[in-house]
Amino acid sequence: MVSTRNPLNIGAAARAMANFGFPRLRVVNPYDVAFREARSAVGAAPLLRKAEDYSSLAEAVGDCRLVIGTTALGHRGLQHPLRRLEYGARLIKKAAAEAPVALLFGSEKFGLSNDDLSHCHWLMRIPTVDAGLSMNLGQAVALCLYELARDSKAAQARPGKIARASAGEAEQVTVMLLDALRASGYVNPKTAATTEEKVRRLIRRLDLAERDAPVLMGMLRQILWKVNGS
């Protein structure tokens, strides 16, 4: 984080790093020397205390094989390749598996300077609706780190199957529900057969989970006890 003005943004960045498993925070010429005490670093105080403080960006990224700058574009003319977050994150993850990678964030007011950008191999941006309107610094860090940490295959994983109620269990629920409907006066004796068919079809359409059948029967049992006991 380069020339960050608000220590709360450094704290928010540290919190995002702790959330997504990024342990090394480097700051270059922060405006507030007391940033390590930022209240926004909930749960990330140890990471913030270990933050490395540098007086120059060249020194801060000296051991990194790849240096990526972030930008909101604005009206600046850029001399670097520019990639969207989704694609850039894939390249960063691949490179980080082999050597240290630095992801740079500039000050809240001006972003990264031209001199800062000269240290970058390429730039990355978050695709907001208004390309000229920058995001809050802490939020931008969180978004970038989430994209770096997420498993793209996780969304494709199928949830575990939930066992469905058997036909016998569905019939038990049907019988108890019909008993409750008769006790309450809902069932018309003249159309009782039709009502029974409708209720049975209704229960089948619900496709009850096996774990829900005894719960539902317990509810109906209590209703029957109340109705018959009144």
Side-chain angles (χ1 to χ4, degrees), residues 49-72:
R49 284 195 296 269
K50 293 189 297 182
E52 303 165 50
D53 195 349
Y54 293 87
S55 58
S56 73
L57 180 56
E59 184 183 5
V61 300
D63 63 339
C64 297
R65 188 80 57 83
L66 178 64
V67 180
I68 310 303
T70 56
T71 179

Side-chain angles (χ1 to χ4, degrees), residues 20 22 84-90 93 124 141-152:
F20 298 117
F22 293 86
R84 278 174 56 118
L85 173 59
E86 310 94 305
Y87 177 57
R90 293 200 296 270
K93 284 191 283 189
M124 187 167 67
V141 172
L143 271 177
C144 289
L145 297 187
Y146 165 75
E147 189 65 30
L148 287 168
R150 77 179 182 91
D151 180 1
S152 59

